[in-house]
Amino acid sequence: MTKLIHDIGGLTREPGVVRAFVPTMGALHQGHLDLVDASRALVGPGGQVIVSIFVNPTQFGNETDVSQYPRTLESDFAQCEASGVDIVFAPSVSEMYPGGTQTSQYVSVQPGPLGSILEGVDRPGHFAGMLTIVAKLLNLVQPNFAAFGEKDYQQLALISHMVQQLNFPVKVVGVQTRREPDGLAMSSRNTFLIPEQRTEAASISRALFAAQAVEGNIDAKLSAARDALSAQITTSYLVAMTPDLSRELVGTENATQGRILFAGLLGSTRLIDNVPLGGVNPDE
Ligand code: PAF
């Protein structure tokens, strides 16, 4: 039976139980349930899988974005129950930020240089808010494993850095992006797309797959991607980077390992996606 917990006190860990943790902001889809399945595979039937559902205000740019984020706790809980989750932790904002959510009111985790590229350019403060809540949740849940989707590749890289550099005793696990039949990466934001936009959105994954398929240098790959993108999408970035995002791959480089990352606006909805540079990366 799945337990629904709203208070931090309910998370107390029984000794000897292996825990895997899936932090989410709710509006769950199959991509989240893949994280749950990967978590169950890690801890086995005797372990605990914990899902948190918390729309974290400190990682949003403004109040409107936070208030418009879908909140679907009842159906999220039902999906967790059907997937064999042991505990759903759905705290209130005041439970997580008792001193308030203004940056002057709480201690935060700063992302360092990796936080100011790609998503960090258009979303200042986003990664500090995201890392802060993930750090708090990891400290509360004290899991052995924590699973995150590769769809938010920069987020995954930053959480891996935080865990390594701040010595959190948890293993971070990345899980492959789940896609709709037409290739669009699953995301809670897809629900904001009107039907015509939803059709155009599929050009993002087509573009990334086109780049992957090109047997050439980085320029050739990125140019194939640009050609496949819908004209209705305004690109924020379309870049190739090393797998750890420490360096942009450019021009005539013939790299075999890396990631192609995209972000853009379709109407007012920001969509992101990424793929390994040449199909499956042996080191990822
Ligand atoms: O990816 C998300 O849903 C959020 O950024 C996370 C990791 C749950 C932190 O709020």
Side-chain angles (χ1 to χ4, degrees):
M1 216 184 75
T2 309
K3 270 208 277 190
L4 177 61
I5 290 175
H6 297 289
D7 301 333
I8 284 170
L11 284 171
T12 312
R13 181 179 170 153
E14 291 156 40
V17 175
V18 182
R19 276 186 166 177
F21 179 42
V22 181
T24 81
M25 296 206 298
L28 301 186
H29 51 67
Q30 188 54 48
H32 295 110
L33 302 179
D34 288 351
L35 302 180
V36 168
D37 291 347
S39 297
R40 176 58 67 196
L42 287 164
V43 299
Q48 274 186 339
V49 175
I50 299 174
V51 172
S52 65
I53 296 177
F54 180 64
V55 181
N56 174 35
T58 68
Q59 70 186 77
F60 286 83
N62 60 57
E63 295 281 334
T64 318
D65 286 355
V66 191
S67 61
Q68 280 175 356
Y69 202 84
R71 284 165 173 81
T72 53
L73 182 59
E74 211 173 302
S75 73
D76 291 345
F77 182 78
Q79 292 187 71
C80 287
E81 211 168 23
S83 307
V85 169
D86 297 287
I87 298 174
V88 172
F89 176 52
S92 64
V93 172
S94 60
E95 184 76 352
M96 293 309 292
Y97 293 98
T101 56
Q102 299 306 310
T103 41
S104 57
Q105 293 170 320
Y106 61 92
V107 174
S108 64
V109 179
Q110 294 305 313
L114 180 51
S116 51
I117 61 168
L118 305 176
E119 286 302 288
V121 174
D122 290 335
R123 304 179 70 190
H126 166 68
F127 284 128
M130 181 281 292
L131 286 179
T132 301
I133 196 68
V134 171
K136 285 162 74 72
L137 290 167
L138 289 175
N139 283 332
L140 291 169
V141 175
Q142 297 187 14
N144 304 80
F145 305 95
F148 297 88
E150 284 186 349
K151 158 144 188 306
D152 295 297
Y153 193 80
Q154 189 177 7
Q155 166 170 288
L156 173 60
L158 277 161
I159 292 167
S160 303
H161 279 205
M162 175 181 77
V163 159
Q164 189 200 8
Q165 292 175 18
L166 299 184
N167 308 97
F168 281 68
V170 61
K171 182 167 169 36
V172 173
V173 179
V175 176
Q176 218 181 329
T177 303
R178 168 68 74 149
R179 296 182 180 281
E180 302 286 357
D182 65 0
L184 178 66
M186 284 194 185
S187 164
S188 314
R189 284 167 185 258
N190 296 349
T191 56
F192 297 141
L193 301 171
I194 57 172
E196 302 88 89
Q197 292 174 333
R198 173 62 192 80
T199 308
E200 298 304 306
S203 75
I204 296 171
S205 55
R206 275 202 300 278
L208 294 176
F209 296 146
Q212 256 185 342
V214 168
E215 302 249 349
N217 61 31
I218 298 295
D219 273 347
K221 283 176 176 291
L222 295 182
S223 147
R226 277 190 291 271
D227 290 348
L229 261 182
S230 160
Q232 287 185 35
I233 297 175
T234 311
T235 301
S236 295
Y237 57 79
L238 172 64
V239 287
M241 307 275 298
T242 52
D244 63 358
L245 303 185
S246 61
R247 186 173 71 82
E248 189 171 344
L249 299 166
V250 285
T252 53
E253 264 187 278
N254 267 309
T256 53
Q257 290 184 9
R259 209 85 195 175
I260 307 172
L261 302 109
F262 168 86
L265 275 182
L266 185 47
S268 56
T269 306
R270 186 178 177 88
L271 297 171
I272 61 171
D273 198 356
N274 69 86
V275 293
L277 195 59
V280 177
N281 259 357
D283 64 339
E284 288 173 25

